[in-house]
Amino acid sequence: MTATATGTAPALVRAPAGFTERYLLDPVVNADPYGYLGSLRDHDPVYWSAMHRAWLVTGHAQLMHCLREPAVSAERVRPLMDAVPEGAREDAERAFAILSRWMVFNDPPQHRRLRQVFQEQFAARSIGRYRAFVERATRAMLARRAVPGRIGDLVADIARPLPALVFARWLGVPQAHGPSFWYWNARVGDLVLGAAQEEREYRTSLQSLVNLDDYLADLVKQRRADPKDDLISSVLAGGQIGKSVSEEEFVGMLTQMAFAGGETTSNLIVNAVLALLEHPDELAAVREDPHRVPMAVEEALRWDGPSKMSIRTAARDFDLDGRPVRSGDRMFLVTAAANRDPERFAEPDRFSVLRGSASHLGFGFGAHFCIGAALARLVAGAAVGVLVCEYPGLQLIEQRHTWQLSLLNRALTALPVRY
């Protein structure tokens, strides 16, 4: 008997003695997944879960194999569409056509063709031009919202609005359009990340994606007629839109970037600050030498990064660590577990800003390595650096933390602090 997408486990794969599988969206596991993920990885780093109808890949070496394996496909728009309630299907056709243009849902060679039009704009040397703007924006926002001695919510005060401000400026979205733009993005997130459950929520998310696509298509037309100093104008100046990539594909990819531009960076800022405040010795090391801020950000990406996993599908049969993966099988590539694999990292459950290794999988690897990594590092580094080095009174408010219920994201709903 072989593993199938319908949830039939191979005869050779059984839960190990003493191991009890748990639902990954169990609120207790969601709040603190690392102990459970570690036990799962120790028992079986490539585990067929009938509960999730998917392979759970938790070992670092095995996950790296998947990220290099051509049979592991990123094309997964159809399962998203299959989840839409019947009553919302009439709204779905155009929305899922837009999703099909996202780079993250395409395999090579399509993925390479789509991605290459942005390579220059997302390169670290190009992103570096925005460093002074990001640092000014960070200090200005903190001056308004993080008054020393005041109690506030780091998520709402800084971590959400700062990446949104920076990314909108970089993309070329006028400040006056920000509220609608980021509302649509949040609702698209509900669709892509699985938060939409009811028919009404699906309708709102699907329409928001269409609205976002329409808005960005109009912005592209404006930049063709009147170029500015922004991402859209720069890509258009490269001359590939309308040639190697259609304008419709370009706009579709912009919707992906608009969605991804704020979420990952926001969560990275919050998780990094939380880790530092919970580890006073590591916080002291960063304050003693602010050049360690980038190291703290990298360690946060490994130790408690903004993404827990990515979902893939087997495009054809292949063998993974002795397991017979079959065409159509779903695969959960659990980077949160791989980033704490003792086979790859010494003392993996210890948070250390002096670890000095960026070989984590917090931004993925290979063809699907996060194209926005340089921008996320720049914005998170600026926010974390100013907060921990220029706010000596920064401290946590004793309160139970609540994590968003999500298979994919690792995101706090709030982080109460005293500035």
Side-chain angles (χ1 to χ4, degrees):
M1 189 182 301
T2 60
T4 71
T6 60
T8 304
L12 62 91
V13 179
R14 290 288 182 264
F19 173 75
T20 301
E21 184 179 3
R22 300 182 67 179
Y23 186 41
L24 293 174
L25 285 178
D26 178 314
V28 175
V29 174
N30 183 78
D32 186 7
Y34 296 103
Y36 171 70
L37 291 177
S39 67
L40 172 59
R41 182 193 58 238
D42 293 344
H43 279 302
D44 194 345
V46 181
Y47 176 75
W48 173 258
S49 168
M51 183 182 295
H52 298 90
R53 293 182 298 164
W55 292 97
L56 307 185
V57 183
T58 52
H60 189 280
Q62 294 82 0
L63 202 148
M64 288 287 284
H65 181 147
C66 291
L67 293 174
R68 293 186 174 110
E69 171 59 62
V72 177
S73 173
E75 293 184 13
R76 55 195 186 279
V77 173
R78 172 53 57 182
L80 285 172
M81 189 163 182
D82 288 344
V84 175
E86 194 64 38
R89 291 291 177 91
E90 64 190 62
D91 301 330
E93 186 173 343
R94 183 180 165 198
F96 282 96
I98 295 167
L99 286 181
S100 71
R101 300 176 197 123
W102 285 22
M103 287 181 285
V104 293
F105 295 145
N106 277 275
D107 294 324
Q110 280 286 89
H111 179 270
R112 275 193 302 272
R113 181 180 65 81
L114 296 171
R115 183 177 174 123
Q116 54 89 24
V117 302
F118 292 101
Q119 286 294 112
E120 178 61 32
Q121 289 73 25
F122 277 94
R125 62 182 177 277
S126 298
I127 296 298
R129 295 175 48 227
Y130 289 88
R131 181 173 300 279
F133 166 74
V134 170
E135 291 175 351
R136 285 197 309 272
T138 301
R139 288 189 169 87
M141 188 171 288
L142 283 166
R144 294 193 307 272
R145 301 175 179 229
V147 178
R150 171 181 170 266
I151 292 175
D153 171 16
L154 189 70
V155 174
D157 291 344
I158 303 299
R160 282 187 185 146
L162 180 64
L165 172 71
V166 171
F167 192 81
R169 162 68 179 83
W170 184 61
L171 189 62
V173 175
Q175 189 172 353
H177 299 168
S180 295
F181 182 77
W182 292 112
Y183 171 79
W184 294 329
N185 273 282
R187 300 292 73 77
V188 171
D190 293 342
L191 174 68
V192 175
L193 300 175
Q197 298 293 323
E198 304 296 329
E199 181 178 320
R200 175 184 55 81
E201 294 170 332
Y202 271 104
R203 285 185 182 276
T204 299
S205 293
L206 293 166
Q207 186 58 53
S208 293
L209 180 54
V210 169
N211 290 345
L212 185 62
D213 192 72
D214 286 341
Y215 174 80
L216 288 167
D218 185 63
L219 196 58
V220 169
K221 290 177 183 175
Q222 292 179 40
R223 292 300 178 262
R224 278 198 182 278
D226 182 19
K228 307 288 187 184
D229 179 19
D230 56 35
L231 171 68
I232 292 175
S233 301
S234 179
V235 173
L236 289 173
Q240 297 186 67
I241 307 305
K243 296 179 181 176
S244 62
V245 168
S246 72
E247 188 152 320
E248 188 178 49
E249 288 174 322
F250 177 45
V251 173
M253 287 189 290
L254 290 174
T255 66
Q256 176 199 327
M257 292 175 184
F259 157 69
E263 181 76 19
T264 298
T265 309
S266 296
N267 297 340
L268 176 54
I269 291 168
V270 176
N271 294 5
V273 172
L274 175 62
L276 286 166
L277 293 179
E278 288 185 330
H279 295 82
D281 290 346
E282 304 306 309
L283 177 62
V286 173
R287 285 175 167 164
E288 177 186 335
D289 182 1
H291 290 98
R292 291 170 176 161
V293 168
M295 298 163 65
V297 170
E298 294 303 317
E299 178 67 346
L301 280 160
R302 183 199 69 83
W303 190 75
D304 194 15
S307 173
K308 290 186 287 191
M309 71 172 73
S310 58
I311 298 176
R312 297 288 190 268
T313 304
R316 58 180 180 274
D317 294 358
F318 73 102
D319 180 86
L320 176 60
D321 206 34
R323 304 294 192 271
V325 180
R326 298 302 182 222
S327 177
D329 285 357
R330 281 201 311 167
M331 308 183 72
F332 291 178
L333 308 187
V334 192
T335 49
N339 277 336
R340 294 199 185 193
D341 188 341
E343 294 292 322
R344 181 64 187 82
F345 302 98
E347 297 183 272
D349 293 320
R350 184 168 72 89
F351 178 78
S352 172
V353 300
L354 302 180
R355 187 172 296 274
S357 171
S359 61
H360 59 76
L361 299 171
F363 283 130
F365 178 83
H368 284 277
F369 181 81
C370 176
I371 194 170
L375 183 60
R377 283 171 166 142
L378 174 61
V379 178
V384 172
V386 174
L387 277 164
V388 303
C389 296
E390 299 181 17
Y391 284 76
L394 185 69
Q395 59 182 279
L396 293 173
I397 300 297
E398 288 299 324
Q399 184 173 317
R400 180 175 171 271
H401 296 139
T402 302
W403 297 86
Q404 293 177 16
L405 198 61
S406 172
L407 273 177
L408 304 181
N409 275 14
R410 179 73 173 152
L412 275 173
T413 59
L415 184 60
V417 295
R418 183 182 300 277
Y419 296 108

